[in-house]
Amino acid sequence: MKIYENIVIGGGASGLMFTANLKNKEDTIILEHNNKLGAKIRVSGGGRCNFTNKNISTSNYLASSSFLKGLLREFGSQFIFEYFTNLGLKSTLKDGTQYFCKSSSKELLDLLLYQIKGAKIALNCKVLDAKKDGNIFEVSTTRGKYKAKKLIITSGGLSFTNLGATAIGYEIAKSFGHKIIATKPALVGFTLQPQDSFLKTLSGVSINVKIKVDKKELEGSMLFAHKGISGPVVLNASLFWNRGHLEINFLPKFDLKSIKNSNKNISNLLPFPKRVALAFLEKLEIRDKKATLLSKEDWSKLEELKYYKLAPAGTFGYSKAEVTKGGIATNEIKNNFESKLVDNLYFLGEVLDVTGMLGGYNFNFAFLSAIKCARNN
Ligand SMILES: Cc1cc2nc3c(=O)[nH]c(=O)nc-3n(C[C@H](O)[C@H](O)[C@H](O)COP(=O)(O)OP(=O)(O)OC[C@H]3O[C@@H](n4cnc5c(N)ncnc54)[C@H](O)[C@@H]3O)c2cc1C
């Protein structure tokens, strides 16, 4: 049986970028579960792949900062933007920081597919397990066995099984003695407990809020959904939430004192669409009336909108989560992404316990980890 130099498990963002950056690709094979490469890249960012961000630091990640710091310092914030720009990718900036493909994700994917030319690809090839015999890895798949000197695990997380996700990366890591930090859906909406389910009646409306969660203060748009709450600020909050409550400021830029002397009804003065204002008033048991007629108690109830305690019932789950938080513990991984426990075994991208916020941080990490590893291959 042929012995490859590298077997890459998973043809997603990190698997493709790793292969693209190898000097010699001919002796590398990518084993991919799907019938095509880069499934998540294709659908990401609403079809335009938010592939990196202008501002990148460890504070944008849930990860060991000592593990991540060196990588981010070595490459800098602009590396991935310049990498693709130099290949000819046209991009556009959203909200001043997030780089998206100008036309479609396919453009970025095509650049990677062009760069991996020479490598072997096995599609519809689901990896079942891997073991090491002497210096050689043997990988069992639904399309037979493959052998290589180096095994690179780029199989991603657990979200979106319809895009090929499996737990194989964690299973192989465990079988080689690696510790796995408990995995959970992240960048995902929250389901609500009965006391907050009035928010579901506002389905379809977005408002700007601030959320405090686990020492982080996040600001952005919250979307009321029929299943619970979602929107960018909620998705980011899910990254840092484990259990317990979030503190939501529904009035982040609004001073209630500014409306105290108004003769207008309070539902017309609060900075929300009217049906949102009415739902909050009902929840707080305040009758809608002229601001000047509100009692002291009414005003102190309204203040609660700045410190609203919401304990999510849970999340929308892996089928809606953009990423998986947790994963292979990074204290057992060297800074070239090789296992500290097993020579020539590497882990890249989302399978590791490194998870980014919304904004291109997850692709950024998947790509940087892959480039760093390939340069040392
Ligand atoms: C809908 C959606 C939109 C997203 N949008 C963005 C965005 O705009 N910006 C951003 O930064 N991040 C985004 N993400 C997150 C981003 O896609 C991932 O963090 C990134 O793809 C991780 O790269 P990876 O190489 O680690 O894993 P993946 O890209 O997930 O690649 C893993 C590959 O391994 C394959 N695989 C899994 N199990 C097996 C097996 N047993 N055998 C063989 N192959 C296997 C999978 O089929 C897959 O092709 C989005 C995610 C989703 C789900």
Side-chain angles (χ1 to χ4, degrees):
M1 187 191 296
K2 176 175 170 59
I3 298 181
Y4 289 94
E5 182 68 20
N6 300 299
I7 289 179
V8 179
I9 301 184
S14 55
L16 294 176
M17 187 57 106
F18 170 80
T19 310
N21 280 273
L22 288 173
K23 280 196 198 90
N24 174 9
K25 303 175 197 1
E26 277 66 33
D27 219 10
T28 293
I29 184 163
I30 300 177
L31 308 179
E32 171 52 52
H33 183 195
N34 286 324
N35 61 6
K36 52 182 185 272
L37 298 168
K40 277 191 187 165
I41 295 177
R42 286 170 206 269
V43 302
S44 64
R48 289 201 297 125
C49 188
N50 177 198
F51 60 99
T52 187
N53 197 290
K54 219 173 174 177
N55 306 321
I56 294 176
S57 78
T58 53
S59 67
N60 304 114
Y61 290 88
L62 183 66
S64 149
S65 71
S66 59
F67 179 75
L68 198 55
K69 213 165 42 191
L71 181 77
L72 299 187
R73 196 181 300 134
E74 178 176 343
F75 287 93
S77 280
Q78 294 300 293
F79 189 89
I80 294 301
F81 168 70
E82 283 167 6
Y83 181 95
F84 284 108
T85 303
N86 291 340
L87 290 176
L89 183 74
K90 298 268 179 299
S91 59
T92 172
L93 257 187
K94 191 183 155 207
D95 294 339
T97 63
Q98 304 170 10
Y99 287 110
F100 282 74
C101 300
K102 192 159 193 172
S103 62
S104 92
S105 311
K106 191 173 168 301
E107 257 185 59
L108 180 144
L109 180 58
D110 285 346
L111 292 171
L112 286 175
L113 296 182
Y114 183 76
Q115 285 205 309
I116 65 164
K117 277 205 161 72
K120 314 274 177 303
I121 315 282
L123 297 174
N124 295 308
C125 180
K126 183 177 181 184
V127 172
L128 304 172
D129 72 38
K131 55 183 197 243
K132 194 173 185 193
D133 190 4
N135 289 329
I136 302 299
F137 290 94
E138 186 179 289
V139 178
S140 302
T141 78
T142 48
R143 290 183 56 183
K145 290 190 191 301
Y146 295 86
K147 288 188 175 185
K149 294 181 199 155
K150 293 181 192 154
L151 183 61
I152 295 85
I153 314 258
T154 57
S155 54
L158 296 170
S159 50
F160 279 66
T161 44
N162 60 330
L163 296 178
T166 74
I168 193 66
Y170 310 121
E171 286 162 12
I172 293 175
K174 253 192 268 175
S175 74
F176 282 112
H178 275 272
K179 192 166 83 208
I180 311 295
I181 306 301
T183 52
K184 284 189 184 160
L187 303 188
V188 65
F190 289 123
T191 53
L192 301 172
Q193 304 215 39
Q195 65 270 26
D196 299 313
S197 58
F198 75 101
L199 295 172
K200 293 190 212 168
T201 64
L202 305 173
S203 178
V205 180
S206 281
I207 60 173
N208 194 61
V209 303
K210 254 188 195 168
I211 299 184
K212 273 194 197 161
V213 53
D214 191 29
K215 294 180 205 144
K216 282 258 172 197
E217 195 161 34
L218 308 163
E219 185 166 1
S221 174
M222 171 188 281
L223 171 69
F224 300 108
H226 70 276
K227 280 178 91 172
I229 51 172
S230 185
V233 70
V234 173
L235 268 53
N236 278 330
S238 72
L239 187 56
F240 303 102
W241 179 77
N242 282 313
R243 64 164 76 113
H245 70 259
L246 314 168
E247 187 180 293
I248 305 178
N249 181 352
F250 287 109
L251 300 167
K253 294 194 172 92
F254 192 75
D255 185 358
L256 284 168
K257 284 193 204 103
S258 69
I259 56 168
K260 275 209 159 154
N261 298 321
S262 173
N263 272 326
K264 287 188 184 156
N265 269 22
I266 190 75
S267 62
N268 293 323
L269 294 168
L270 291 173
F272 309 126
K274 184 144 180 167
R275 77 183 171 110
V276 177
L278 289 172
F280 280 132
L281 291 177
E282 192 181 336
K283 170 73 182 166
L284 297 170
E285 298 176 351
I286 301 174
R287 202 167 49 79
D288 189 20
K289 50 182 168 294
K290 288 179 182 169
T292 45
L293 300 178
L294 290 191
S295 65
K296 210 171 162 194
E297 192 194 347
D298 290 335
W299 286 111
S300 66
K301 283 185 191 166
L302 278 174
E303 284 289 333
E304 284 174 34
L305 291 178
K306 288 183 175 268
Y307 313 95
Y308 190 91
K309 301 261 194 299
L310 183 148
T315 71
F316 295 177
Y318 283 117
S319 64
K320 298 271 186 256
E322 279 202 11
V323 287
T324 301
K325 66 175 169 178
I328 296 159
T330 50
N331 62 350
E332 294 175 344
I333 304 294
K334 296 182 194 168
N335 67 7
N336 66 349
F337 295 92
E338 188 178 15
S339 161
K340 288 182 184 171
L341 313 183
V342 181
D343 289 347
N344 295 323
L345 173 65
Y346 299 83
F347 298 96
L348 309 174
E350 199 181 314
V351 76
L352 287 166
D353 178 27
V354 176
T355 315
M357 294 170 74
L358 276 192
Y361 299 105
N362 285 297
F363 278 129
N364 189 77
F365 176 70
F367 291 145
L368 284 188
S369 57
I371 293 169
K372 169 82 184 170
C373 184
R375 283 183 175 179
N376 286 273
N377 189 272

